[in-house]
Amino acid sequence: MAVGHRTESGTSTRRAHAGGLGAAVGLTDEQLIEMYRMVALARAVDERMWVLNRAGRIPFVISGQGHEGAQVAITWALKKDHDWVAPFYRSIATAMTFGMSARDILTAQYATANDPSSGGRQMPGHYGHAEHNLLSVSSPVATQILHAVGIALAAKIRKTGQVAMTFMGEGSSNQGDVHEGLNFAAIHKLPFVLVIENNGYAISVPVSKELALPDVADRASGYGIPGVVVDGADVLGCYQASKEAVARARAGDGPTLIEAKVTRLTGHSSDDQQTKYRPAEELEAERTRDPLPKFREQLAAAGVLDDELIARIDAENKAVVDDATDYAEKEPDPDPANALMHVFAEGVEGEF
Amino acid sequence: MPTKTFIEAIREGIREEMQRDDSVIVLGEDVGKKGGVFLATDGLFEEFGEERVIDTPLSESQIVGTSIGAAVNGLRPVAEIQFADFIFPAFNQLLSEAARMRYRSNNTFGVPMTVRAPYGGGVHGALYHSQSVEAFFTHIPGLKVVIPSTPYDAKGLLRSAIRNDDPVLFFEHKKMYRSVRGEVPAGEYTVPLARAQVTRPGTQLTVVAYGLMAHYALEAADHAGEDGLSVEVVDLRTLRPLDKETVLESVRKTGKCLIVYEDNRFGGYGAEIAAIIAEEAFDYLDGPVTRIAGPDVPGVPYNHVLEDWFMVNPEKILDGIRQLAAY
Ligand SMILES: Cc1ncc(C[n+]2csc(CCOP(=O)(O)OP(=O)(O)O)c2C)c(N)n1
Ligand SMILES: [Mg+2]
């Protein structure tokens, strides 16, 4: 897969990569450790979801495994509780980086009454949190791009200094809303970033049957905006690309399309058997593109992490996930007596 | 009291809301310098500037989708879809997004957005510039659907729609833009959503209508009056949430109900009114609940003879009234 080239308004081409640790991208060792902790925590939460599914505790899982490095790093460049994110169903690590807790994610799996995403109304994977400017997401893919663009429009008109970022898969990038959204955002130079997490598949359909080009980012030039390709297993490279895109957006220079080449380590969802359409060798080879061990080794080689710290973070993450599971397991279901509520701001439709 | 045309009242409603509240913006195709193809936004670009009166590209899903996002982030967009016939590229954004945002987020996000669109036939618009689209949207919980019939109501209801915290579809019959005049008081007033109005009192038969048909129903009722028939007309004004009580109260009094709508008959909005009356006022009925509606062809044909054949008019309504009265 072509990684590291960038097209800018159809002209210049240059490389976007980490080029060294912390200092090169403006992060301290402490921040790198926190970033690693988040990638590992998102993975631990995700793995727990599968365990609970296979144990019959929760009916459905849609996973972000393999995407976490890109999600954490790209989201990291935003200002929490100020900027906006319109996520998609794999955005567990994005949602957590942007402020959702492991408890918030687990309550969504159990669809509890206090699940902050939807109060148990939506399937798991539809994360949202109003207090963190993480927009509620639906199931039809790619619709959220227009919401993020509209959020960016409001940010520009209201002069709030906010940036809006949205995420989706490469398959979803073929929807008409993506064209309409990029066109509008580019015309108005809106503070907006589109992130494509390209994992090579839309359920079972390989990228060769989804796109006539290898890179979604090449489409950016058609809108007169930069398109950047990054290796999703290169966490710091993702961060650097996002930092630049966010700075550009905040400076009023308009949107950027970032395409992170990631790997989908699981089936599409708990209802999918990917061995049916992906050869065993491919699945084996894809394991080497897992961002978690890559980032761990990179940080260990640079002396930022050592075995003791890695073990401590693992143990702490496990405690967080255990706590979240116990918590969500005990939370009550929503009450059908409230199921008519919140169709409108006034409450139940018949009563006004 | 000064009188204004339907479109002047609409324009004034938008302008005064924009003056009152900086968060109100207008967006749509040709809404800027041109002032909209029907001139509903004429002069707003000059008064409020290009940041608040936005000429969008020709992309309806974007018009609605970005309005949803802007609404979530503190604005009150008033989007214009140039013709109701072209709202369908935005259907997914209206159905799956705008209508569901509050419910699916358990009341943590809302979409205070108004989408205006001219609808309706009788203007030589043929299949794709004449359509009545309300039934597609009144079916959707989470959307409010308003169809005013007078300049007074149009202005007052539009102000309420813009101030409302949920998505409101505001359909304006394009034949009425310049042909209908009415009194519109100077100064601020609103007309509440979800309230129907009895526009003509009567005792023997109820006609339920909205939009242009509310005018035709009044005309027909007047003619029926000349025959000695006392017809009550209910103008729904807001189709959803429906003011059921006003309809039921009228039908309980008269015992007969004719529902009039311009849209295709089958599965049209009036079918729901008929079902509600059958369920909730059956004991009061002295005859079948009947409908006068557009024929079930895929659109309004162009040639004037064909268009006249399609359109519901006061004569067809009068016919319906007489038949039901004779039951
Ligand atoms: C409009 C629409 N069509 C179909 C689906 C069913 N669907 C859900 S995810 C998906 C594949 C998406 O692939 P991609 O965008 O590459 O994201 P990935 O799942 O690979 O991360 C499909 C077909 C849907 N949710 N929405
Ligand atoms: Mg994919």
Side-chain angles (χ1 to χ4, degrees):
Chain A
M1 233 178 270
V3 165
H5 91 93
R6 164 187 176 124
T7 59
E8 190 156 3
S9 307
T11 51
S12 64
T13 295
R14 64 180 191 74
R15 310 207 137 250
H17 57 79
L21 283 188
V25 292
L27 292 172
T28 63
D29 283 1
E30 286 68 37
Q31 288 170 318
L32 289 177
I33 293 166
E34 286 316 299
M35 216 181 224
Y36 170 75
R37 181 194 298 277
M38 187 56 83
V39 175
L41 179 60
R43 176 64 57 89
V45 166
D46 202 303
E47 286 174 345
R48 176 61 54 87
M49 283 155 41
W50 286 90
V51 170
L52 294 170
N53 175 255
R54 296 312 185 218
R57 300 299 305 155
I58 58 175
F60 179 75
V61 172
I62 192 141
S63 184
Q65 288 186 40
H67 293 229
E68 303 100 324
Q71 288 187 9
V72 169
I74 289 170
T75 310
W76 205 273
L78 292 170
K79 272 193 215 163
K80 244 205 247 188
D81 300 332
H82 172 74
D83 290 331
W84 279 85
V85 163
F88 82 127
Y89 47 86
R90 294 203 198 284
S91 297
I92 294 159
T94 289
M96 293 185 71
T97 307
F98 214 47
M100 286 185 80
S101 67
R103 284 185 172 193
D104 291 340
I105 301 290
L106 263 297
T107 54
Q109 313 309 314
Y110 283 85
T112 64
N114 72 342
D115 145 38
S117 296
S118 78
R121 289 175 172 193
Q122 294 223 73
M123 291 172 89
H126 296 61
Y127 306 109
H129 203 303
E131 284 161 32
H132 299 300
N133 290 352
L134 186 76
L135 185 61
S136 162
V137 66
S138 68
S139 297
V141 295
T143 51
Q144 78 274 15
I145 186 175
L146 292 173
H147 310 158
V149 169
I151 286 168
L153 175 70
K156 185 181 172 195
I157 292 173
R158 294 175 54 218
K159 302 181 175 56
T160 62
Q162 294 161 316
V163 172
M165 190 179 270
T166 193
F167 298 78
M168 70 180 68
E170 82 295 339
S172 305
S173 76
N174 297 306
Q175 290 278 331
D177 278 357
V178 177
H179 168 62
E180 295 193 18
L182 283 178
N183 185 46
F184 187 79
I187 289 168
H188 293 279
K189 286 199 184 306
L190 297 182
F192 167 70
V193 181
L194 169 62
V195 181
I196 300 294
E197 297 178 24
N198 185 343
N199 59 14
Y201 283 88
I203 307 187
S204 68
V205 180
V207 73
S208 60
K209 292 281 189 282
E210 303 176 57
L211 300 162
L213 294 167
D215 300 328
V216 178
D218 281 345
R219 292 178 178 168
S221 64
Y223 302 98
I225 65 168
V228 189
V229 178
V230 286
D231 176 357
D234 174 7
V235 174
L236 298 181
C238 288
Y239 173 70
Q240 178 64 28
S242 181
K243 205 172 120 174
E244 286 176 21
V246 169
R248 212 181 105 78
R250 219 181 298 281
D253 295 330
T256 301
L257 193 169
I258 298 174
E259 176 179 12
K261 306 285 193 186
V262 298
T263 181
R264 193 186 82 195
L265 293 173
T266 67
H268 172 73
S269 73
S270 52
D271 297 333
D272 177 44
Q273 191 52 262
Q274 62 174 343
T275 49
K276 186 170 179 201
Y277 54 86
R278 293 181 85 175
E281 314 79 69
E282 177 185 311
L283 288 170
E284 190 51 40
E286 285 290 290
R287 290 252 144 227
T288 64
R289 299 181 58 230
D290 184 344
L292 179 60
K294 274 204 163 171
F295 194 34
R296 183 165 52 220
E297 283 153 26
Q298 186 186 23
L299 294 183
V304 179
L305 285 179
D306 58 24
D307 288 349
E308 195 198 318
L309 187 51
I310 292 167
R312 198 166 79 219
I313 289 173
D314 279 351
E316 284 166 359
N317 281 348
K318 184 173 181 307
V320 169
V321 175
D322 285 345
D323 162 77
T325 311
D326 292 345
Y327 173 80
E329 180 83 32
K330 290 198 200 89
E331 280 300 314
D333 288 327
D335 183 350
N338 298 327
L340 277 173
M341 303 250 301
H342 312 315
V343 176
F344 294 123
E346 295 90 342
V348 177
E349 175 165 354
E351 290 176 4
F352 59 94
Chain B
M1 220 190 279
T3 71
K4 296 198 187 305
T5 61
F6 195 61
I7 196 149
E8 282 166 350
I10 288 165
R11 190 185 305 135
E12 218 174 72
I14 303 171
R15 182 177 344 108
E16 288 173 18
E17 283 305 289
M18 291 185 83
Q19 287 167 344
R20 184 185 149 267
D21 180 354
D22 281 347
S23 70
V24 179
I25 63 163
V26 162
L27 69 167
E29 294 154 14
D30 304 292
V31 299
K33 278 189 189 155
K34 182 174 167 65
V37 294
F38 291 101
L39 301 182
T41 57
D42 198 25
L44 300 183
F45 182 86
E46 288 73 16
E47 183 170 349
F48 300 105
E50 64 175 1
E51 202 154 68
R52 292 181 65 195
V53 183
I54 303 168
D55 270 327
T56 66
L58 225 169
S59 45
E60 285 76 13
S61 189
Q62 171 267 311
I63 292 170
V64 173
T66 53
S67 292
I68 292 170
V72 161
N73 196 18
L75 295 184
R76 287 187 179 268
V78 181
E80 177 174 300
I81 299 294
Q82 200 159 71
F83 288 84
D85 311 65
F86 310 133
I87 201 168
F88 300 108
F91 194 77
N92 193 35
Q93 286 290 342
L94 289 163
L95 164 71
S96 304
E97 306 298 336
R100 294 183 185 181
M101 185 67 82
R102 187 178 299 283
Y103 190 80
R104 78 178 190 222
S105 70
N106 206 19
N107 205 27
T108 59
F109 290 103
V111 181
M113 161 185 83
T114 304
V115 179
R116 300 178 35 253
Y119 83 100
V123 295
H124 314 298
L127 285 82
Y128 302 102
H129 297 80
S130 300
Q131 213 173 324
S132 296
V133 301
E134 66 274 12
F136 295 108
F137 299 102
T138 52
H139 180 63
I140 301 172
L143 294 182
K144 296 180 178 175
V145 180
V146 176
I147 302 189
S149 73
T150 65
Y152 179 91
D153 280 352
K155 183 172 175 183
L157 285 165
L158 186 53
R159 299 187 84 139
S160 296
I162 294 170
R163 294 178 196 187
N164 198 269
D165 286 333
D166 289 302
V168 181
L169 295 190
F170 198 89
F171 294 123
E172 304 157 4
H173 201 296
K174 61 178 90 70
K175 193 182 171 81
M176 288 166 37
Y177 274 151
R178 284 171 184 78
S179 66
V180 170
R181 267 192 169 275
E183 290 186 343
V184 178
E188 186 173 325
Y189 72 94
T190 59
V191 173
L193 303 182
R195 294 283 176 272
Q197 192 173 36
V198 175
T199 50
R200 185 186 197 283
T203 56
Q204 292 171 291
L205 191 147
T206 299
V207 177
V208 176
Y210 50 91
L212 180 64
M213 295 302 124
H215 291 276
Y216 289 177
L218 284 175
E219 264 185 61
D222 283 346
H223 286 301
E226 291 159 16
D227 299 351
L229 266 174
S230 172
V231 175
E232 177 147 308
V233 176
V234 178
D235 179 357
L236 291 179
R237 306 195 292 185
T238 299
L239 276 55
R240 192 157 188 187
L242 171 66
D243 177 3
K244 231 164 53 171
E245 271 322 302
T246 299
V247 174
L248 290 172
E249 202 178 301
S250 175
V251 175
R252 286 186 195 121
K253 180 176 71 180
T254 63
K256 286 184 173 170
C257 185
L258 172 71
I259 302 152
V260 181
Y261 54 103
E262 180 180 330
D263 194 4
N264 307 119
R265 180 184 186 86
F266 191 97
Y269 179 76
E272 181 64 30
I273 303 292
I276 289 169
I277 293 168
E279 283 176 343
E280 302 189 36
F282 185 77
D283 290 342
Y284 298 83
L285 290 176
D286 290 329
V289 179
T290 55
R291 292 178 286 166
I292 297 289
D296 287 317
V297 294
V300 183
Y302 181 66
N303 179 284
H304 69 101
V305 177
L306 297 179
E307 186 179 44
D308 288 346
W309 165 81
F310 183 99
M311 287 296 292
V312 172
N313 58 30
E315 295 71 47
K316 292 180 188 176
I317 299 171
L318 182 58
D319 224 42
I321 289 172
R322 285 184 176 139
Q323 280 189 34
L324 180 56
Y327 180 87

